[in-house]
Amino acid sequence: RVARMVTFEAQGGPVQKGSMKSFRHPKTGKVVTTNDSEHTKPWQLAVGWCAKEAMRGAPMLTGPVSVGAVFRFPRPKSHYRKSGDVKPNAPTRHTVKPDLDKLLRALFDALTHVVWIDDSQVSDLGACAKRYIEAGERPGATVTVATPEGA
């Protein structure tokens, strides 16, 4: 089989998939389980549409896939001087929430039934990172999904 690759950019603030939470519905008394914030679904829909466009009508990937993703976040105002320059002591790496693994969970769910059949197909993680945007960049994510040749 020939290797295939899909690369796309999703714009907007990346959102994580939250931890599972259960509660009893006040009216019905049924137990409700959720793990999404109100921002997760819009982010996943945006990612899904960008991925669908990148697929250009091709069938979903089957077999093992490799995923690489770079999530870009705006710097907080505290990282800047009054002049607008980044402070010399501002961190160069994004080491605050959201966690990279939870960002990937939201991404994988968004790509299920769009790029691949199920996220269990992810057998390899390529370069995955979260970082602050540079001048002229926009928040979002750059995603690459590939199938290995012959798989």
Side-chain angles (χ1 to χ4, degrees), residues 126-144:
C128 294
K130 54 183 187 156
R131 65 175 181 79
Y132 291 114
I133 58 174
E134 301 293 328
E137 284 187 311
R138 295 171 69 184
T142 303
V143 180
T144 301

Side-chain angles (χ1 to χ4, degrees), residues 97-119:
K97 291 186 182 286
D99 299 350
L100 182 58
D101 62 321
K102 290 184 178 180
L103 290 167
L104 288 169
R105 284 176 47 206
L107 174 70
F108 289 4
D109 286 352
L111 299 183
T112 298
H113 301 300
V114 177
V115 174
W116 54 58
I117 297 163
D118 187 76
D119 57 11

Side-chain angles (χ1 to χ4, degrees), residues 6 11 18 22 28 41 49 67 70 82 91 103 113 124 139 147 151:
V6 178
Q11 301 295 322
S22 297
T28 64
K41 280 290 182 223
W49 278 110
V67 178
V70 177
K82 288 182 183 175
L103 290 167
H113 301 300
D124 180 61
T147 60

